[in-house]
Amino acid sequence: MAGTGSPGRGPAEERDGVALTNLDQELFSGAGVTKRELVDYLDVMSPRLLPALEGRPLSVVRALRGQKPFMQKNVPKYAPDFVRTVSFWAETSHREVAYALCDDRRTLLWFANQRAVEYHPTLVRAATMGTPEHLVLDLDPPEDAGFGAVVAAAHLVRRALDEAGLAGVVKTTGAKGVHVLVPLAPGPTHEDVAGATRALAVRVERLDPDVATTAFIRADRGGKVFVDPTRAGGSTIAAVYSPRVRPGLPVSFPVSWDELATVVPSEITVRTAPDRPDPWADPAARPAPQPLPDELVAEGRTIPVARVQAMHEGKRRKRAAERGE
């Protein structure tokens, strides 16, 4: 019955027909944030977060009590009927996976009650899986680097984009890095976007190899910021405005290029983000969808796919180690 919780779990509250339980529990050990604060944040931010999730197959990171946080792709069988899903064949697990489509407040509140902290949508919509909407460069700093290293790499990305005739926007990841997103006009294939992403990453590395690297194997990065050349196709990223499973629940949040040098990502949390200035609040402030330059796509086709290259290199190193080389 609405308004009651499960035996031993205390009374439930209700929003939009969704029963919310255990709201005053800490989300996970060391979070310093209650489940109620997560629910309140997602509720108040739903007008901004939902457009980033709408129509996109969704994976979430849940933080259940007494368990390590885990990524969930397949919607559980107990999900209510109002949670819309779309199914795809997963080659890695050789099964159909039913992904959620989080298109409305009710579904978002249900996920919040499931202790879903992080929201990772695909870069494409389920209805138009063959139409890339963004080119994404994910900047990942080394373990001991401060945010300044990522800022320096981000400005190299901006320079590379400018030289290619493209414009992008930037957001914190809610962790240690940043995402640079380039809105794309319809036309390029996933293969085109993947190639252009590789080409841009290599151009960024070339601009300042002391700051940026495209080395996929972590041990080869030499303390530099990794410019990930692989975010394309069916890839996901942490959604803008998504909390992250870290103490204090920091949030992936848009920043202006001018603000990037002074922002402190750890200070943008579920408690502070709703009141922060948002450079994406006005859609006109973001670049319009752009065509991909043909020369960038052509250059990308000459660059090996990083994961495949790393796999072969890993096997080569293993054989060398076994031979004692």
Side-chain angles (χ1 to χ4, degrees):
M1 182 168 61
T4 61
S6 301
R9 299 180 69 186
E13 296 179 22
E14 188 176 288
R15 298 187 200 179
D16 205 0
V18 177
L20 304 168
T21 57
N22 299 314
L23 290 175
D24 296 320
Q25 290 178 352
E26 188 177 33
L27 269 173
F28 53 88
S29 179
V33 176
T34 64
K35 183 177 173 182
R36 182 184 301 277
E37 289 177 289
L38 172 67
V39 171
D40 287 345
Y41 169 80
L42 293 172
D43 200 2
V44 75
M45 292 295 283
S46 60
R48 285 189 266 181
L49 175 58
L50 286 173
L53 305 179
E54 187 176 4
R56 301 176 189 276
L58 179 66
S59 302
V60 296
V61 175
R62 297 174 63 193
L64 302 187
R65 295 181 68 203
Q67 298 183 30
K68 289 185 177 181
F70 63 94
M71 175 77 78
Q72 179 177 291
K73 298 182 179 183
N74 209 26
V75 176
K77 295 186 183 301
Y78 58 78
D81 291 343
F82 61 76
V83 177
R84 295 178 57 227
T85 63
V86 60
S87 295
F88 296 102
W89 179 257
E91 285 295 337
T92 51
S93 55
H94 299 288
R95 62 174 179 144
E96 283 277 320
V97 175
Y99 291 88
L101 298 176
C102 189
D103 294 346
D104 53 50
R105 174 177 178 250
R106 194 181 187 192
T107 301
L108 185 60
L109 287 171
W110 180 80
F111 269 117
N113 193 57
Q114 295 292 304
R115 305 173 89 102
V117 178
E118 299 189 10
Y119 296 79
H120 295 252
T122 56
L123 299 175
V124 291
R125 299 179 192 273
T128 52
M129 291 295 285
T131 304
E133 295 185 357
H134 289 92
L135 181 152
V136 176
L137 285 168
D138 180 6
L139 307 184
D140 184 21
E143 285 295 324
D144 56 350
F147 192 62
V150 182
V151 172
H155 282 292
L156 292 176
V157 171
R158 191 184 189 191
R159 183 175 154 193
L161 288 173
D162 185 63
E163 290 175 356
L166 296 169
V169 290
V170 63
K171 70 180 183 70
T172 66
T173 64
K176 295 173 62 179
V178 301
H179 292 145
V180 180
L181 290 84
V182 181
L184 297 177
T189 65
H190 287 302
E191 187 178 79
D192 293 338
V193 176
T197 305
R198 293 194 296 272
L200 281 167
V202 168
R203 290 184 183 191
V204 170
E205 181 180 41
R206 196 181 301 136
L207 284 171
D208 194 337
D210 291 331
V211 170
T213 180
T214 58
F216 197 80
I217 299 174
R218 191 175 295 273
D220 294 344
R221 295 177 189 171
K224 303 167 189 176
V225 175
F226 175 51
V227 185
D228 188 347
T230 67
R231 298 290 179 136
S235 295
T236 66
I237 62 170
V240 63
Y241 314 116
S242 171
R244 304 301 300 271
V245 180
R246 288 171 172 256
L249 260 64
V251 171
S252 177
F253 204 84
V255 292
S256 68
W257 285 105
D258 291 339
E259 182 191 14
L260 189 58
T262 57
V263 73
V264 181
S266 61
E267 294 179 356
I268 308 175
T269 69
V270 294
R271 292 174 179 155
T272 65
D275 297 322
R276 279 187 60 86
D278 185 347
W280 292 9
D282 178 7
R286 286 178 270 167
Q290 306 146 79
L292 272 182
D294 291 340
E295 65 273 14
L296 200 63
V297 174
E299 180 181 336
R301 288 180 180 143
T302 69
I303 300 170
V305 177
R307 281 194 177 93
V308 175
Q309 191 177 33
M311 179 185 67
H312 291 310
E313 177 62 15
K315 290 179 178 178
R316 187 197 67 78
R317 293 183 188 186
K318 183 180 179 180
R319 290 194 297 270
E322 290 170 349
R323 293 195 298 267
E325 295 178 5

